[in-house]
């Protein structure tokens, strides 16, 4: 009967030995996840800045086109 009582105790010891390793791995995972979130945020800021620049350039081009659309006379207008 003593063999039955030893098995749960061995499992508890094995689990308690693994707990620090598990905590370390989960901590590293959380740290890496935080870094990825920060990198993603930085990429989002860059993308938004590029979109703003794109919009500014498009606005400038549209203004230039509007300024260039003065009536022109060609020999076909006759």
């Amino acid at each position: 009967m003593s063999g039955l009582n030893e098995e749960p105790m061995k499992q508890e010891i094995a689990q308690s030995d693994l707990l620090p390793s598990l905590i370390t791995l989960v901590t590293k995972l959380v740290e890496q996840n935080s870094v990825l979130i920060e990198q993603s945020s930085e990429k989002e800021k860059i993308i938004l800045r590029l979109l703003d620049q794109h919009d500014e350039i498009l606005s400038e081009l549209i203004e230039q086109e509007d300024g260039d659309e003065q009536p022109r006379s060609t020999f076909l207008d006759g």
Side-chain angles (χ1 to χ4, degrees):
M1 279 248 198
S2 64
L4 292 176
N5 291 336
E6 290 177 12
E7 190 62 33
M9 184 174 260
K10 286 181 183 178
Q11 286 178 349
E12 286 178 26
I13 292 171
Q15 288 176 353
S16 67
D17 289 344
L18 293 175
L19 190 58
S21 297
L22 181 61
I23 290 172
T24 301
L25 289 173
V26 170
T27 301
K28 286 181 181 180
L29 181 64
V30 169
E31 289 171 354
Q32 289 176 350
N33 192 35
S34 296
V35 168
L36 289 173
I37 289 171
E38 185 177 325
Q39 289 174 348
S40 176
S41 175
E42 290 300 316
K43 286 180 183 179
E44 183 178 325
K45 289 176 186 176
I46 291 169
I47 290 171
L48 289 173
R49 189 173 51 224
L50 289 172
L51 284 172
D52 285 343
Q53 290 175 357
H54 182 262
D55 285 346
E56 288 176 16
I57 291 170
L58 281 176
S59 294
E60 288 176 13
L61 287 173
I62 289 172
E63 287 176 12
Q64 287 177 3
E65 278 187 7
D66 288 346
D68 289 345
E69 290 182 3
Q70 298 169 355
R72 298 180 195 175
S73 142
T74 64
F75 68 94
L76 295 176
D77 288 343

